[in-house]
Structure formats: structure tokens, C-alpha cells
Amino acid sequence: MFNKYILKKYNISNKINKYFCVFFPMISFSTYANNITFTNGKFDQVIALENDELEITPSENSLYLSFDLTPQWSLGFSYQGWQGKAKAKNLDLLDLSSDSWSGNLSYYQDSWSFSTSVSHSEDTINTYHGNQNQVLNLEVTNLTSLSGVIGYNWHHDNWLYDTSIGAQYSDWTIENQRFNDPLAIDKERNFSSNDDSGTNIFASLSVAHIWQQSNQKSTVLGVMILWNHSFADTSTTLNHKQSTNSKGGKSFQTSNIGDDTYGQAIAFVSFDITKALSVSVDSTYEIATEHNNVSYSASLNYSF
């Protein structure tokens, strides 16, 4: 299974991190501060099974820390956890969980920004049968990514603008094990492992308006368009689903993997509660995908 889901998930998290790392320094009344952000959200998707499609909405909890080492250099760390369950018509139960960690280093010079990041994730998909909690399939994906982004921002009156372009290289291993398979006569027949890699390039354009309520508080409302193109090695055959946003299932189909192009439209708003504390919400709508899934989240940010 080629984890387009994973790459899209990280694009969304990169978008959120970018939202705090790029826009907040532009509107901050302190040019030298650290930030801690807690986010809770949901990510709608459709998973294709052999004779059914499942709608699943994993819940996200994430923590993001950023430290301004100097007025030009910033260091960030993040943890992101996802958890979701869904039941098929045949009473099979799908259990999805994911944990990811990342670190990024950013440099700001005038209106330009340069950022590089490394991330690692482990995704686990368990498929159970009925109420017996009988495991039918276990799939574990370990993915490591390295990315770089170049951005440029400017402002006019109370309008803020940002554009960026970047690339991400990912390397992953997928281990799949079936249980109680009558066709499997030994342990080796139950287990399969695949290694592969892919490259994702993306570009974004953001526009935001700021309303200054006082010398220490403001409100920001903005939109972002993010476009992605993924390149994958079509010479390797992996187990995956036909759904654009896919995550495992009861019975896996086999096909070759090709390139993929899709977009995301994001709307966000941020409110300053105090000089140091702010709340933001955002919603992401996928463009040019099979199901055009929607994600949404709320964040609490503290500057110190």
C-alpha cells in the first residue's frame, strides 16, 4: 500500500507548522519569542475494501514547540498522534493508529524564509473480525521523510501574503501479516515486507488579513492554496487501496503505483486572547481527489 494518506497528512501538519512559523512572526509584537502549540483535530477519509468502502475520521492530537535561537534562526519539534476506528457491513472492524515525530530548522532573512525538516512515523492498521476481536490483518508502516521549503512573504496595509515552494523525499517500509488465513500453510506465507521511496513537490500561496484590536492583541483571517505532485517508483508492486486517501483493509488489492497530483484549500482564523495566548481554527478541503476529504482542527498557542 502506497501511503499517499501519510504524505497528505504530513502536508497538512507542515501547513499548520508553517502557519505558526511564518504568519505569527510577521504579526508578533515581540520579534524574539518561543512558542508551544497544542492541536486537536479530525481528518475525514474513505478506505476502499474488497466489497465495501469505509468512512473513517481519525482524531489527531499534536504538540509543536518552536524556539527562536536568534532573530534569524528558529528550531522546532513536533509530535503528532492519530487514532480512528470504523466498522464494515460484514462487521469487520478497522483500527488505525499513527505516531510521528519531526524536527525543523528555519532561517529568516528580510522577507525570505528557508526551512528544512526531518520526520519519522509509524502507522499501524489492525483489522478485526466481528465482536470476537479476532485479528485478520496487521499492517505496520515506518516512514522517514526529509523536506526543504523556500518562502517569501510581504504585506500591504493590513494584508499579509506568503508564497512558498518545497520538496519532500520519503522512504518507507511496509510490513503486512495475515492471521488465520486458510491458504497460508506456514508462517512465511503470512508475512510480507516491502521497501520503497517517493518524492513530493509542493507549492503554496497564502493571503491573510489582520485586525489589530490593541497594541498586544489581534485577529487574523486567511486562506491558503497548496498544490502537491507525488512521484513514485512504478517498478515496484505494493499492496494498496484504490482510494486516494487510503489506509489498509480486510482484503488488499495489488496494482502498480504511479504519480499523483492533488491540491488543498485551507481556511484559518486566529484570535489573541492575551499578549501570549492565542486560539486558532482551520479547515482543509482536498481538491482533485476521488473523495475530496475534509479535515479540521483547533489549536492553542502560547508564546514565552
Side-chain angles (χ1 to χ4, degrees):
M1 181 189 64
F2 174 56
N3 277 313
K4 297 176 182 179
Y5 160 81
I6 294 179
L7 297 182
K8 291 182 180 181
K9 180 185 68 174
Y10 289 148
N11 284 333
I12 292 174
S13 65
N14 289 338
K15 173 268 302 180
I16 294 174
N17 291 343
K18 179 181 176 61
Y19 167 46
F20 287 110
C21 292
V22 176
F23 277 114
F24 278 5
M26 294 176 62
I27 64 177
S28 175
F29 296 97
S30 172
T31 59
Y32 196 51
N34 307 310
N35 293 278
I36 180 171
T37 304
F38 174 75
T39 299
N40 179 266
K42 291 185 178 295
F43 176 49
D44 294 340
Q45 64 170 320
V46 176
I47 298 174
L49 302 179
E50 184 177 19
N51 299 312
D52 195 8
E53 284 190 339
L54 288 182
E55 294 184 1
I56 186 170
T57 306
S59 297
E60 170 209 7
N61 287 295
S62 66
L63 183 67
Y64 180 71
L65 297 170
S66 67
F67 304 94
D68 286 354
L69 306 178
T70 71
Q72 286 76 39
W73 289 95
S74 177
L75 184 65
F77 303 94
S78 69
Y79 165 78
Q80 197 174 30
W82 295 80
Q83 184 74 40
K85 294 183 179 182
K87 182 170 289 188
K89 294 179 180 178
N90 60 0
L91 298 182
D92 284 355
L93 178 66
L94 185 77
D95 190 345
L96 179 153
S97 63
S98 174
D99 294 286
S100 62
W101 303 263
S102 68
N104 67 278
L105 180 66
S106 300
Y107 176 76
Y108 303 94
Q109 181 62 48
D110 299 326
S111 296
W112 291 92
S113 64
F114 307 87
S115 179
T116 182
S117 65
V118 60
S119 63
H120 178 78
S121 75
E122 180 175 288
D123 283 35
T124 302
I125 306 168
N126 277 303
T127 308
Y128 302 93
H129 179 66
N131 297 322
Q132 300 177 356
N133 251 13
Q134 181 181 9
V135 179
L136 298 178
N137 196 88
L138 171 64
E139 180 179 284
V140 179
T141 301
N142 281 280
L143 180 144
T144 301
S145 296
L146 180 66
S147 63
V149 182
I150 299 176
Y152 181 81
N153 59 64
W154 68 101
H155 64 90
H156 178 70
D157 293 332
N158 291 328
W159 288 94
L160 312 174
Y161 306 90
D162 175 84
T163 183
S164 67
I165 186 170
Q168 181 183 62
Y169 173 80
S170 300
D171 184 88
W172 61 87
T173 299
I174 302 175
E175 297 180 348
N176 188 286
Q177 186 168 358
R178 288 180 178 272
F179 300 89
N180 304 315
D181 186 348
L183 298 179
I185 58 177
D186 52 39
K187 184 176 181 180
E188 286 71 22
R189 290 281 300 275
N190 283 327
F191 181 81
S192 65
S193 179
N194 294 283
D195 299 320
D196 214 327
S197 61
T199 302
N200 187 47
I201 60 174
F202 50 91
S204 70
L205 176 64
S206 309
V207 180
H209 189 273
I210 178 172
W211 288 270
Q212 188 169 322
Q213 302 163 349
S214 68
N215 291 332
Q216 297 182 345
K217 294 193 295 184
S218 62
T219 299
V220 179
L221 176 65
V223 295
M224 176 185 289
I225 299 296
L226 178 67
W227 199 258
N228 309 263
H229 186 80
S230 300
F231 302 90
D233 182 6
T234 57
S235 65
T236 303
T237 301
L238 299 178
N239 293 323
H240 77 295
K241 293 303 168 202
Q242 299 300 319
S243 173
T244 303
N245 255 341
S246 60
K247 271 297 210 179
K250 173 187 175 184
S251 180
F252 292 86
Q253 304 169 6
T254 302
S255 66
N256 288 330
I257 296 166
D259 295 352
D260 183 35
T261 299
Y262 60 93
Q264 293 169 310
I266 304 111
F268 58 86
V269 60
S270 172
F271 308 92
D272 286 341
I273 300 175
T274 66
K275 179 182 178 180
L277 191 64
S278 64
V279 176
S280 65
V281 294
D282 69 75
S283 179
T284 301
Y285 181 81
E286 292 184 356
I287 304 171
T289 63
E290 183 178 354
H291 298 284
N292 292 332
N293 298 313
V294 177
S295 65
Y296 38 92
S297 64
S299 301
L300 181 66
N301 181 76
Y302 178 72
S303 300
F304 57 96

